[in-house]
Amino acid sequence: MQISILGCGWLGFPLAETLVKNHTVKGSVTTPEKLATLQAAGVQPYCIDLNNPDEGTITAFLQGSDVLVIAIPPKLRAETGISYPEKLNNLLPYIVSVGIKKVLFTSSISVYGESEALPQVDETTVPIPETESGKQVLAAEQVLALCTDFKTTIVRLGGLTGGERHPVYHLAGRQNLENPEGPVNLINREECLAILTAVIDKNCWGEVFTAVHPETKNRKEYYTEKAAELGLPLPNFVEGSLKGKFVKGQDKLMDLLGFSFEK
């Protein structure tokens, strides 16, 4: 099978490294300096900037692929070009013209709102985003899902951790942090890779998944323990505020993909 991965960054590149063991993989980056890294990993490299798309490059990147994985983040604060959903909307004619029938989109649980009632949400919950990022991600989902020329599977990922990336590094030593009793909705990069690979291997298309590790500790317990584990200054939480959501969906991951989280 040939797979094109749009966005070989923090998540997309290790996914490419995983998939290239059994498939032909094309990968895209936004700067020429990163092309050699893809090539060294056995991935066919392309430089694609959706703010300034080159028709020939995008067509060559997509041509002949059975699956397109879209793993580009919104990057709202640094964005100087077109909006996130507009980028995907502009990509649609290319996907259709080359005949790709399967699209895998890495979305985010930011599409769900939060409240003091701590609602339980899963793939069946109607998304009502509160943040600008969540609104753009949901709009991007809809751009893909409403196109009937291919089937899209959407994986709404929790907060991403792995390597040097973890929220605790931003919280360590900070004072008067709010929401100590709120839920923790994170997912490790290795878990993400296993889920995304399973979608492709099991040919599971036209679905929506939520993917969050079923952590039982609250924010204060979890981040205090994690900071101690990493030898970081402990964060300090203030009592009183409470807001968030409990993200479920682990049952569907198990039922359709055979994936289960380690405790």
Side-chain angles (χ1 to χ4, degrees), residues 74 84 105-114 121-123 125-142 154-157 208-210 245 247:
Y84 189 55
F105 179 57
T106 59
S107 183
S108 166
I109 61 168
S110 64
V111 300
Y112 302 112
E114 300 185 346
V121 301
D122 62 17
E123 68 283 345
T125 304
V126 176
I128 305 177
E130 298 173 346
T131 65
E132 181 58 30
S133 176
K135 292 174 183 177
Q136 290 213 23
V137 169
L138 180 59
E141 283 189 9
Q142 293 169 341
I154 296 165
V155 183
R156 294 170 177 159
L157 299 170
V208 177
F209 295 96
T210 53
K245 55 182 176 274
V247 181

Side-chain angles (χ1 to χ4, degrees), residues 56-72:
T57 303
I58 293 179
T59 299
F61 167 69
L62 297 173
Q63 191 72 51
S65 287
D66 305 283
V67 175
L68 169 63
V69 180
I70 300 176
I72 53 173

